[in-house]
Amino acid sequence: MNAMVPPTEFGQPPTRPLPTNVEAEQALIGAVLVNNAAWHAVGPGLAADHFVEEIHRRIWDVASTLIREGRVASPLTLKTYLGDHDLGAGMTVPRYLARLAADATTIVNAPDYARMVTELHARRALIAVAAEIDAQAYDPPAGTPVERLIEGAEGALMEVRTRALAHSATTRIDAVTAADELLAKVDRIRAGEAVPLGVTTGIPGIDQDTKGMRPGDLWVLAGRASMGKTIMAIALARAAARSGAGTILFPFEIGKEQAAARVLSDLAYSPRAPLGYGRILAGEVDEEDRWRLDEARARLAAMPLVFDAADGATLATISARVRSERERMARQGVKLGVVVLDYLNFIKASDRYQGQRHNEIGEISIALKRLATSLGICVVLLAQVNRQTEQRDDKRPGIADLKDSGSLEQDADVVLLMYRDSYYIERSSAYQNGDVEAHIRANDARNEIDAIVAKCRLGATRSHKLWCDVSCSIIAAQARGGL
């Protein structure tokens, strides 16, 4: 879909007048011309194309440029850049500027005028999207599948939503007010009236470092193949849901059936008789195993955990589905806390940077960070690290090994890297040749996995040696007991 423009620019005149309020535009511009302080309250989030009148767009563009440069924007200074041509009915630009300033009221109302201007722009954008959806639904480009049409419609609607919300909320707050709110929260926590906002990872050491999976956080969970990324993703999702936080897992890579098998294998775990998820998928279970699976299923039913196994989802569809599920959970009294995406390569970027993988990943990471911030959730994104780790003697990944883009490191609040030493020991020539020492090392490391906190905005960066059972898709702080 193209950028949002009025339906008339599609060559189709609207059947009804577009929603506009020229008086609100005039009042806003007049308030700014009288007192440039009004621009600082609303201007940074208001673009020229939010205005419906062309002359208002030109005035706002020039005024904004002058004010950003620390200069005065007034009828006198704007005349230099806008000229004195006739606007019709004998009204010249200088006279119009003088009239706007003369009719201006107090700047206190400027935020209300700005909100009205942006909301009307969003409504016109929705009309434009509806017109384009209608046109493409009737006469789609040759060979375009309906899925592509739907993705385009979703993307265009999400663009309208993102831009409208970006300018609808008041983000300005005095620093001392923010500090007062924080200290009040600290006092509530100390008094036992509130709890820290982070959702638990189920691993105390990582919770201590990160303060949990916090609202607005983007976590990047990365590693080479077979290093335990998906196992950790399942562990994080299960821990979050078990704590009562609404959780959505997008198992793009493994699918909903394997995701269910992994969760059940985890919940049904017994050290005397582990029930691997591979056996569950193959139906290789006896009566006792089946009973244990029923018990695990009952425990799972109490957790607000949802799978969404969409195939090749776009950023727009992910955002739409997360928002829809968030509303559904809210109706059931559950607050969405964590969204896990497994993994990056299955998420489609827009066509803007097609073929430029570095920029595509940057677009994905910043969009997911914004989604986390706007909804007050933690988004966990799985990713790969570069193959260079395979060429080193020490194959433990570092943050510089994140594949294809520095944007992941830049946008992430937490980067968690996974590493299993046993994987490499078992593939070494010494192990393959039957070296006793290598076999002992492999056996000792078989249930060990390293979770490396490589970036953390709130705490330390260090490595955590954890217990794992790969066949049962379990990661825990220490060896697990039975049911």
Side-chain angles (χ1 to χ4, degrees):
M1 296 264 177
N2 297 322
M4 303 301 99
V5 291
T8 50
E9 297 188 30
F10 285 105
Q12 300 175 353
T15 57
R16 296 168 57 186
L18 292 173
T20 62
N21 189 328
V22 175
E23 291 79 6
E25 295 184 2
Q26 292 172 329
L28 175 59
I29 293 173
V32 169
L33 295 180
V34 169
N35 189 338
N36 288 176
W39 184 91
H40 292 287
V42 300
L46 199 65
D49 64 358
H50 281 97
F51 295 85
V52 71
E53 291 288 336
E54 175 61 28
I55 184 59
H56 293 167
R57 296 182 185 183
R58 293 171 54 204
I59 293 172
W60 191 261
D61 186 44
V62 174
S64 296
T65 300
L66 291 174
I67 294 171
R68 286 193 186 98
E69 294 175 351
R71 300 158 67 187
V72 175
S74 67
L76 182 62
T77 59
L78 263 65
K79 174 185 174 181
T80 304
Y81 302 95
L82 296 173
D84 60 357
H85 59 277
D86 193 345
L87 297 176
M91 179 68 71
T92 63
V93 170
R95 287 182 181 177
Y96 189 62
L97 291 170
R99 175 185 153 190
L100 292 177
D103 292 346
T105 58
T106 173
I107 69 170
V108 173
N109 296 325
D112 291 329
Y113 298 143
R115 188 176 301 108
M116 195 176 301
V117 169
T118 56
E119 288 179 354
L120 288 168
H121 173 268
R123 289 170 58 189
R124 294 194 298 273
L126 284 173
I127 292 170
V129 170
E132 188 169 359
I133 292 173
D134 181 78
Q136 293 204 14
Y138 274 108
D139 301 298
T144 303
V146 69
E147 291 84 358
R148 186 65 180 270
L149 296 178
I150 294 172
E151 287 178 0
E154 289 174 336
L157 287 169
M158 190 54 57
E159 183 178 344
V160 174
R161 180 188 181 99
T162 299
R163 192 171 185 200
L165 292 179
H167 305 301
S168 64
T170 301
T171 58
R172 179 189 177 279
I173 184 172
D174 291 332
V176 69
T177 302
D180 288 342
E181 292 178 358
L182 172 61
L183 292 175
K185 175 184 167 185
V186 168
D187 289 340
R188 291 196 302 273
I189 294 173
R190 294 182 63 205
E193 298 176 11
V195 296
L197 292 178
V199 176
T200 181
T201 64
I203 301 171
I206 295 180
D207 281 347
Q208 181 180 355
D209 290 348
T210 63
K211 308 303 183 286
M213 295 180 283
R214 295 165 52 86
D217 273 2
L218 171 63
W219 284 38
V220 172
L221 174 58
R224 290 295 302 151
S226 301
M227 289 295 106
K229 298 188 300 296
T230 298
I231 302 175
M232 179 57 96
I234 295 290
L236 294 177
R238 184 186 64 81
R242 188 174 183 177
S243 73
T247 306
I248 307 173
L249 171 64
F250 286 83
F252 298 132
E253 184 173 34
I254 62 175
K256 62 183 179 182
E257 187 175 80
Q258 187 180 145
R262 285 172 175 262
V263 173
L264 289 174
S265 180
D266 181 344
L267 294 173
Y269 182 79
S270 170
R272 63 178 178 81
L275 180 55
Y277 67 86
R279 285 177 53 200
I280 297 173
L281 287 169
E284 298 172 355
V285 297
D286 57 24
E287 286 299 320
E288 181 180 352
D289 294 334
R290 189 64 179 81
W291 174 83
R292 288 164 58 197
L293 289 173
D294 282 339
E295 289 291 308
R297 188 263 178 203
R299 295 169 64 191
L300 180 60
M303 301 179 188
L305 175 60
V306 173
F307 297 156
D308 190 325
D311 181 25
T314 64
L315 288 168
T317 57
I318 289 172
S319 178
R321 287 169 178 170
V322 169
R323 292 176 187 277
S324 176
E325 185 58 34
R326 176 172 175 260
E327 293 174 1
R328 188 194 69 82
M329 287 183 174
R331 291 194 295 270
Q332 297 179 349
V334 176
K335 183 178 180 180
L336 178 63
V338 177
V339 172
V340 181
L341 301 160
D342 183 11
Y343 78 107
L344 173 65
N345 282 6
F346 289 86
I347 300 174
K348 295 180 181 178
S350 69
D351 293 335
R352 184 181 307 171
Y353 302 113
Q354 194 167 22
Q356 304 174 43
R357 190 56 180 162
H358 177 93
N359 290 329
E360 287 180 340
I361 293 177
E363 181 182 58
I364 291 170
S365 66
I366 192 62
L368 294 179
K369 173 60 180 176
R370 287 173 177 166
L371 180 66
T373 302
S374 65
L375 298 187
I377 61 176
C378 178
V379 174
V380 180
L381 173 65
L382 274 65
Q384 290 244 19
V385 296
N386 289 312
R387 292 183 181 274
Q388 282 85 338
T389 57
E390 307 284 347
Q391 313 304 319
R392 302 196 299 251
D393 291 335
D394 182 0
K395 295 177 171 50
R396 295 173 186 273
I399 197 166
D401 295 316
L402 284 174
K403 189 175 182 180
D404 293 324
S405 173
S407 297
L408 294 175
E409 175 187 352
Q410 175 181 314
D411 298 331
D413 298 279
V414 173
V415 175
L416 196 61
L417 304 176
M418 305 305 297
Y419 174 77
R420 287 199 306 124
D421 202 26
S422 62
Y423 176 85
Y424 291 106
I425 295 173
E426 291 172 0
R427 284 155 182 78
S428 68
S429 58
Y431 184 91
Q432 297 294 331
N433 292 329
D435 182 82
V436 174
E437 184 179 345
H439 277 257
I440 292 173
R441 287 170 49 223
N443 186 65
D444 290 343
R446 184 158 290 118
N447 293 114
E448 292 181 351
I449 190 167
D450 292 340
I452 305 164
V453 180
K455 177 185 178 181
C456 181
R457 294 192 193 277
L458 294 180
T461 56
R462 56 175 174 162
S463 181
H464 298 264
K465 192 166 289 294
L466 308 174
W467 179 87
C468 71
D469 186 320
V470 174
S471 67
C472 293
S473 195
I474 299 174
I475 291 180
Q478 56 190 7
R480 289 270 297 273
L483 287 172

